[in-house]
Amino acid sequence: MWRRAYQSLRFRLAVLVATVVIVTGAAAFAVAWTLGVASGHVSELSSAQRRLELLSAVSGRVTDYALTALQTTQTSELQSDRLSPPRKRVQEAFERLNDEVAREFERQTDEEAATLVAARSRVFAFMRARFDFLDRQTLQAIRDARGGQSDAAARVKVALDEFASGFSPALGQAIEEERAAARAATEAMADLRARLAPISIAAVTAAALIAFLLYRAIASPLLARVSRVAGAAAAIARGQTATRLPVRGHDELSLLMMRFNRMALQLSRREERLMKAQLRLQEVVNARTAELREANARLSDIDRARRRFFTDVSHELRTPLTVILGEVDISLRGQPDAATLRGALGTIRARARALHRRVEDLLRVARSESGQLELDFSPVSLAEIVQTAADSAEAGAKAARVKLHAGPFAVDPVVEADADWLRQVIEGLIANAIRHTPPGGAVRLDVHASRDGSAEVLVADDGAGIPEADLPRIFERFYRGADQKEGSGFGIGLALARWVVERHGGEIAIDSSTGGGGLPSGTIVTIRLPAHAPRLVIGAAS
């Protein structure tokens, strides 16, 4: 219990305050005692000095009285009232001397010192008695001289001689006693000063030692710990939340330091959580920023593709319409014969059919995006669909001087499909292959059946191939590649083809090479369809 009380900060501060109070009280008591003793000695010295001054005054005034008495008896005018002023001054000096002795007697607490003061008072009383006797003798001599006696002056001289024979020794004794008292007071003060000097030095040394020990034991550790707390608080304010205080002891300041450490730990954990949250937020912001940049890039590409698309639409629609209008104008001029009209109508019909196909492509895209396009599934022969598409593209291949190799096929898988849409997709792939194959080149068609039950259609050409930068975006709507010229198509064929194939539950892939590194150039488009796919009604295109 005492150990716990000693470890308490309040107890240590109480000890420090109590020690300061005790030392201060002892110093005050010592100073008060010293001042009291010194004041007593100073009072004795001052009283002796005053008594010496009064004795000197008594001696001078008695001398004045004696001279006045001699002058009075030696003149013809014997007036006793001339002695009144000097007598009064002598009596006043004796009264003041008696008062001073009485005060000195009252201040004395020692019986021996009081006896000495009383003896000094008897000497003063004797001196006054001698003066009173002289005064009576002088007055009697003056009265006798007024009665006719002529020896008044001689009688006054005799009285003065008798007074001097008794008064002078008493006065000298009193003066010597007062001087001795003054010397004794001075010596007592010197002795007091001599005794107090080492005591004062010892007291100051002891007070300094006690103060130093108290500072080292209580104040210095306390100030050091408070300084550490202040430094740690400043470090926390600068953001150094890992700062901790060493806790030693179980006093109030140690408890405060423990709470400070808990606060710093909580701040550190909170800062760590905030940093993690900030990092996560920064990652999210960076990811969203990257997504926005990609979206903006895609929007920019889509915008450019749409502008090119509308340019191509304008070109594709304007060309057949110009031909149609030209044929009509030529037919309306003059009187054309039947052969001329038949040729003009054939040209108009061909251009109109091409224009119709372009419009149908646009309608298909619009319907696929709006969810209005439905597929009619039924079991069909995949080889028959491919062969029909090849037959439809034969004329275009001949016109382009491209060889078209199709069938007979080794297998004839049956798939659940919309025969018309699947045929149009394959026709479009063949048309793309013929368009990108140089004259003298070849386009090959093939049908396979894989072990997992799926069926594959391959459309291969030995054209220039597709650039590697265009492959990731080749199936985007309205994308036609960076090097495509105007009038080369709308860029919706492959997008529409992928949409149809995916609605059949299959997938479409393109493998292309531009002939770099010594490899042959060309493009292979593969359509993979599940056999016996379930009948589906297609909703909105994704």
Side-chain angles (χ1 to χ4, degrees):
M1 179 178 179
W2 283 104
R3 181 179 180 183
R4 184 177 300 176
Y6 174 74
Q7 291 177 348
S8 174
L9 186 61
R10 295 181 181 177
F11 179 79
R12 295 181 184 181
L13 292 177
V15 170
L16 179 62
V17 173
T19 304
V20 172
V21 171
I22 292 173
V23 172
T24 303
F29 176 79
V31 171
W33 178 81
T34 303
L35 290 177
V37 175
S39 177
H41 293 320
V42 170
S43 298
E44 291 177 1
L45 179 60
S46 299
S47 179
Q49 292 291 344
R50 286 193 297 271
R51 289 193 298 272
L52 283 173
E53 292 175 357
L54 290 174
L55 288 174
S56 177
V58 166
S59 176
R61 292 177 182 182
V62 168
T63 302
D64 293 339
Y65 177 85
L67 292 176
T68 303
L70 288 175
Q71 291 176 358
T72 301
T73 56
Q74 290 176 359
T75 60
S76 57
E77 297 179 358
L78 299 174
Q79 297 179 358
S80 60
D81 55 354
R82 293 182 59 184
L83 296 176
S84 295
R87 182 191 308 114
K88 184 177 180 180
R89 288 193 295 270
V90 172
Q91 290 175 350
E92 288 177 353
F94 276 115
E95 290 293 335
R96 291 173 61 187
L97 189 59
N98 288 332
D99 293 339
E100 184 64 30
V101 172
R103 286 194 294 271
E104 182 66 18
F105 183 79
E106 291 176 356
R107 282 197 299 269
Q108 297 299 326
T109 57
D110 188 5
E111 183 177 356
E112 182 178 358
T115 301
L116 293 176
V117 172
R120 194 178 299 121
S121 178
R122 287 193 295 270
V123 173
F124 294 158
F126 172 75
M127 292 171 59
R128 185 168 186 177
R130 294 292 297 175
F131 175 76
D132 291 340
F133 181 74
L134 174 62
D135 183 56
R136 287 194 299 271
Q137 286 180 338
T138 303
L139 291 177
Q140 185 62 39
I142 291 174
R143 284 195 296 268
D144 292 341
R146 287 178 180 175
Q149 295 183 8
S150 59
D151 59 347
R155 291 171 58 187
V156 170
K157 289 182 179 180
V158 172
L160 287 175
D161 291 337
E162 292 178 356
F163 172 77
S165 62
F167 184 82
S168 294
L171 178 62
Q173 180 183 354
I175 290 175
E176 186 61 29
E177 290 178 354
E178 296 302 332
R179 288 177 178 174
R183 286 194 299 271
T186 303
E187 291 174 357
M189 292 180 63
D191 181 66
L192 177 63
R193 183 169 55 254
R195 285 185 298 158
L196 287 180
I199 294 175
S200 299
I201 294 173
V204 171
T205 303
L209 180 61
I210 292 173
F212 176 75
L213 293 177
L214 289 175
Y215 177 78
R216 289 295 301 272
I218 298 177
S220 179
L222 179 60
L223 292 176
R225 295 165 69 191
V226 171
S227 178
R228 285 196 294 268
V229 172
I236 292 292
R238 291 192 299 269
Q240 301 174 4
T241 55
T243 303
R244 299 293 183 271
L245 290 172
V247 180
R248 299 183 182 88
H250 303 281
D251 55 10
E252 293 83 354
L253 187 56
S254 297
L255 180 59
L256 174 62
M257 296 169 76
M258 292 173 61
R259 292 177 178 175
F260 181 90
N261 288 340
R262 285 199 294 270
M263 179 196 70
L265 179 61
Q266 293 175 358
L267 288 176
S268 178
R269 291 176 177 175
R270 185 174 300 175
E271 183 181 15
E272 184 178 359
R273 289 195 298 269
L274 288 176
M275 291 298 295
K276 291 181 179 179
Q278 184 178 3
L279 290 177
R280 289 195 299 270
L281 180 60
Q282 187 64 38
E283 291 176 356
V284 172
V285 170
N286 292 337
R288 296 298 180 267
T289 302
E291 291 176 0
L292 287 175
R293 289 175 180 171
E294 293 178 359
N296 288 332
R298 288 195 299 270
L299 288 175
S300 298
D301 294 341
I302 291 173
D303 184 62
R304 287 193 298 269
R306 287 184 181 274
R307 287 197 299 268
R308 292 177 61 183
F309 167 75
F310 286 116
T311 302
D312 291 343
V313 167
S314 300
H315 178 79
E316 293 287 338
L317 297 181
R318 181 179 58 187
T319 300
L321 287 176
T322 301
V323 174
I324 291 172
L325 293 175
E327 292 295 333
V328 171
D329 290 340
I330 292 173
S331 299
L332 292 177
R333 294 174 186 171
Q335 296 293 329
D337 54 14
T340 302
L341 287 176
R342 188 178 293 108
L345 290 176
T347 301
I348 292 173
R349 183 175 182 274
R351 296 296 181 175
R353 291 183 66 179
L355 182 60
H356 180 266
R357 284 196 300 269
R358 295 300 188 187
V359 174
E360 284 294 327
D361 289 342
L362 293 176
L363 288 176
R364 291 190 190 98
V365 173
R367 288 172 182 174
S368 65
E369 291 182 346
S370 63
Q372 297 178 359
L373 185 62
E374 295 183 359
L375 302 180
D376 185 13
F377 291 92
S378 62
V380 295
S381 170
L382 185 59
E384 183 179 351
I385 293 175
V386 174
Q387 189 62 54
T388 303
D391 293 340
S392 299
E394 184 66 32
K398 289 181 179 181
R401 289 182 296 170
V402 173
K403 295 179 181 180
L404 182 60
H405 301 284
F409 305 115
V411 295
D412 185 10
V414 177
V415 296
E416 288 282 338
D418 187 317
D420 185 55
W421 268 106
L422 188 55
R423 177 185 54 78
Q424 293 183 47
V425 168
I426 297 174
E427 286 182 356
L429 295 177
I430 296 173
N432 283 341
I434 293 172
R435 184 165 58 249
H436 292 89
T437 300
V443 175
R444 289 169 297 276
L445 304 179
D446 202 356
V447 177
H448 298 285
S450 61
R451 294 181 180 180
D452 60 359
S454 61
E456 294 182 352
V457 178
L458 276 66
V459 180
D461 64 65
D462 51 6
I466 302 173
E468 185 177 357
D470 293 335
L471 282 175
R473 303 182 58 190
I474 200 68
F475 288 107
E476 293 183 8
R477 285 190 175 93
F478 311 120
Y479 185 78
R480 298 184 300 113
D483 58 348
Q484 297 296 317
K485 300 179 180 179
E486 293 185 1
S488 61
F490 297 158
I492 59 177
L494 290 177
L496 185 59
R498 185 178 66 173
W499 185 88
V500 173
V501 172
E502 288 178 352
R503 292 312 179 268
H504 280 75
E507 59 183 12
I508 183 171
I510 295 181
D511 185 13
S512 182
S513 173
T514 58
L519 297 175
S521 63
T523 302
I524 300 175
V525 181
T526 303
I527 297 177
R528 184 176 292 106
L529 296 173
H532 306 292
R535 181 178 180 84
L536 296 175
V537 177
I538 302 304
S542 59

